[in-house]
Amino acid sequence: MLPTRRCPLSQRTTLADVAAAAGVSVSTASLAFSGAGPIAAATRERVLAAAAELDYSGPNPLGRQLRSGRSGIVGVVVGDALRRSFRDPVSVQMLDGLVGTLGEMNLGVLLIPGPTDPSEPPVDPLVLSAAMDVAVLLWASGSADPVLAALRRRGVPTVVVEGIPEPDVATVGIEDRQGIAQVAQHLVDLGHRRIACVALPFDRTRGEGVVDAERLAQVQWQITRRRLDGMYDAGVQPVAVYETPASLVEHGAAAGRALLSGADRPTAVLCQSDLLASGVVLAARELGLAVPGDVSVAGFDGLDLPWLAPDVLTTVAQPLAEKGAEVGRSVARLLEGTYPPPVVMPVELRVGTTTGPAPA
Amino acid sequence: MLPTRRCPLSQRTTLADVAAAAGVSVSTASLAFSGAGPIAAATRERVLAAAAELDYSGPNPLGRQLRSGRSGIVGVVVGDALRRSFRDPVSVQMLDGLVGTLGEMNLGVLLIPGPTDPSEPPVDPLVLSAAMDVAVLLWASGSADPVLAALRRRGVPTVVVEGIPEPDVATVGIEDRQGIAQVAQHLVDLGHRRIACVALPFDRTRGEGVVDAERLAQVQWQITRRRLDGMYDAGVQPVAVYETPASLVEHGAAAGRALLSGADRPTAVLCQSDLLASGVVLAARELGLAVPGDVSVAGFDGLDLPWLAPDVLTTVAQPLAEKGAEVGRSVARLLEGTYPPPVVMPVELRVGTTTGPAPA
DNA sequence: ATGAAAGCGCTAACAG
DNA sequence: CTGTTAGCGCTTTCAT
């Protein structure tokens, strides 16, 4: 057994020590570090020298934070357990854009796991008690979202991504309803009448399988709801809707196997995400079905999917990194103390090689 | 133009207000929330009722943090720009294990971008001034790492992953040198003599291409260094070492194209990561080379790589999620005030279908 | 340009 | 079990 060695748990020297060593007042020493006020160059030098002498590496953030009432932290509640969110390029690319923008404003990102399965508590403890100036909610379920409710109670200004615009939060979203309508119309134009739908999760129970009418009425998550509505907008009444527990290739593959191995299989599968769609394509190949000869497949997101090569998925592209940057800008507005107007970003139909005329 | 509406920037009510409303002292009110001390059930109820009445959602974290000297935050410096780190399952799976363990201890993870290219400052501002009780450094370059130096200056206890054990930091690593030696020996046993190596980045300049002896002597990042040494341990003198800017499929593919299209191409390529190796396999296929008939390819990490199907990569598996959990445990030790002994986790050679006898 | 004073909101000793 | 007393380390008026 090694002897346990103590480690120093925090710095000892304070601004007061440095000020004393430099022969100035604490307030002057503070200015030397923050630069927020008039100070003689010589004085600053003296303070900095004293700091170096004492191994003082700058004002303690905890003191600064309490005094200024700001933590410099943005809590980001991701849409799922981290393990799954990180596997979804949609979340990752957005997060990347967001972290970049926030970094420029000297804000840090506190990662908060989102709603997992119902066996877990609905709200992570960090949501309840971590220090944060603003929160960002990816994939909020709607105005009754328990996480959103908790943040409201705390009075934490919040940016909701893919939610519903509401007076007391900032919102960033995309034209997904119109986008899905476009790609659905594209399938109709190709002559498809038997169209199945592979949907994102309905709620935190994260069920899996073809749903009945009752379940279909229970969709809680707004992103899923809107994308279903977009499909209806194009006049498509799907022959089946398959609910998935997460936007991942394996769930798309499972959906594909279920939908395409039955007797009167659909001629087209409209998926609410690219990852789900690529799973469906893989399942179709597995089953020996030609894409798009036997079945057309379309997705949503506009991801780069090299493993589908030589196929290119028909999809609706959304500007992921820019969406993240836009969220960052909304965060900045909230910090300034005003609610930015809701942002809705455009999407674009991109016809690839996975959709074609309905088979005769 | 919409009228800008003000948003409330922080809660107004304090513990003192609640205490007054409940007719108790602040310290008693504090106990009602923290539970850290004896308090009559009736009193607690009264305080909580008063809090609900006043819409008080709990003690302000900033006050608590300053007073207790703890932020409840663990700063995690990832090994690269987030955009790239998130695309690497090695980082993501470890992060997932880490966040899970830390979550149980009610600690939050502050994401800090790691060393990108030299045009950027070597140390993210968050490293210098964000509040954190402990820092975790993924992929530290060695004892001269500027990020580690900054954390030392601040006196932030640190866990270094894949670094060198040093007295004033906690270390978690794997037996990568031995692992690489094993897989290198495996290639030698198969009769390979012309072996090329595709390496992880050497330093933050993140060069790309076959390196000369001079450059090979400049490897700064310890993980790369150790994996090179493991190869030498097995007696392999590579015919070429290719430096990559990041552990990503596309860089592996570029390396593969460069190494396999020349005249006297190697019969085996030993890669320091699975993502790099899978790129090499794809490049070989592109060039019409049979794997392993014409060229054997081996990796390191033990990732699931479905897009290589039906091939299964020969690799050395490391326990990623458990490594993350182990890092979490080291964080806990540091918070208790002691340095845990260095942790070294085992790895395991897994022979797949991408390595075979050297061609005659 | 510098200094003095006043807290930010909370918890932890300690005394009762 | 509850109240009193002291700050945690810093920034920010406000004088000077």
Side-chain angles (χ1 to χ4, degrees), chain A residues 24-25 27-28 38-40 43 66-67:
Chain A
V24 299
S25 71
S27 46
T28 304
I39 186 174
T43 318
L66 175 59
R67 178 59 233 225

Side-chain angles (χ1 to χ4, degrees), chain B residues 30-54:
Chain B
S30 176
L31 291 183
F33 284 99
S34 70
I39 186 174
T43 319
R44 186 179 41 246
E45 284 314 311
R46 200 142 41 86
V47 173
L48 263 32
E53 186 66 31
L54 296 176

Side-chain angles (χ1 to χ4, degrees), chain B residues 24-25 27-28 38-40 43 66-67:
Chain B
V24 298
S25 73
S27 50
T28 304
I39 186 174
T43 319
L66 175 58
R67 177 60 235 224

Side-chain angles (χ1 to χ4, degrees), chain A residues 99-290:
Chain A
V99 173
T101 313
L102 294 180
E104 289 166 14
M105 315 183 329
N106 251 296
L107 295 171
V109 166
L110 177 72
L111 266 187
I112 306 179
T116 50
D117 53 291
S119 65
E120 304 283 323
V123 175
D124 192 282
L126 290 171
V127 172
L128 268 16
S129 61
M132 53 182 117
D133 297 335
V134 181
V136 173
L137 219 58
L138 307 183
W139 280 41
S141 69
S143 52
D145 189 311
V147 174
L148 183 52
L151 292 168
R152 278 198 172 109
R153 258 186 66 73
R154 283 188 61 184
V156 177
T158 303
V159 182
V160 172
V161 182
E162 304 301 343
I164 310 175
E166 293 184 66
D168 65 342
V169 297
T171 327
V172 175
I174 55 174
E175 294 175 337
D176 45 2
R177 184 164 175 168
Q178 295 90 322
I180 282 279
Q182 274 182 62
V183 66
Q185 186 62 52
H186 165 71
L187 292 174
V188 170
D189 292 347
L190 286 168
H192 293 278
R193 294 299 174 266
R194 297 186 50 73
I195 301 177
C197 173
V198 178
L200 292 171
F202 283 18
D203 53 34
R204 52 192 294 266
T205 66
R206 298 178 179 277
E208 178 158 29
V210 173
V211 301
D212 55 20
E214 188 191 0
R215 176 68 180 150
L216 193 53
Q218 293 170 351
V219 175
Q220 275 187 30
W221 288 3
Q222 289 309 309
I223 186 169
T224 311
R225 174 82 274 155
R226 275 198 312 273
R227 293 186 189 184
L228 282 170
D229 288 342
M231 180 178 61
Y232 301 142
D233 289 347
V236 170
Q237 284 301 328
V239 294
V241 173
Y242 189 103
E243 172 187 10
T244 61
S247 179
L248 293 174
V249 177
E250 60 253 42
H251 299 306
R257 279 181 219 113
L259 293 170
L260 298 177
S261 50
D264 42 342
R265 60 162 201 268
T267 66
V269 183
L270 177 53
C271 304
Q272 292 190 343
S273 83
D274 278 359
L275 248 33
L276 291 174
S278 58
V280 172
V281 171
L282 295 179
R285 289 183 187 166
E286 247 179 60
L287 295 168
L289 297 175

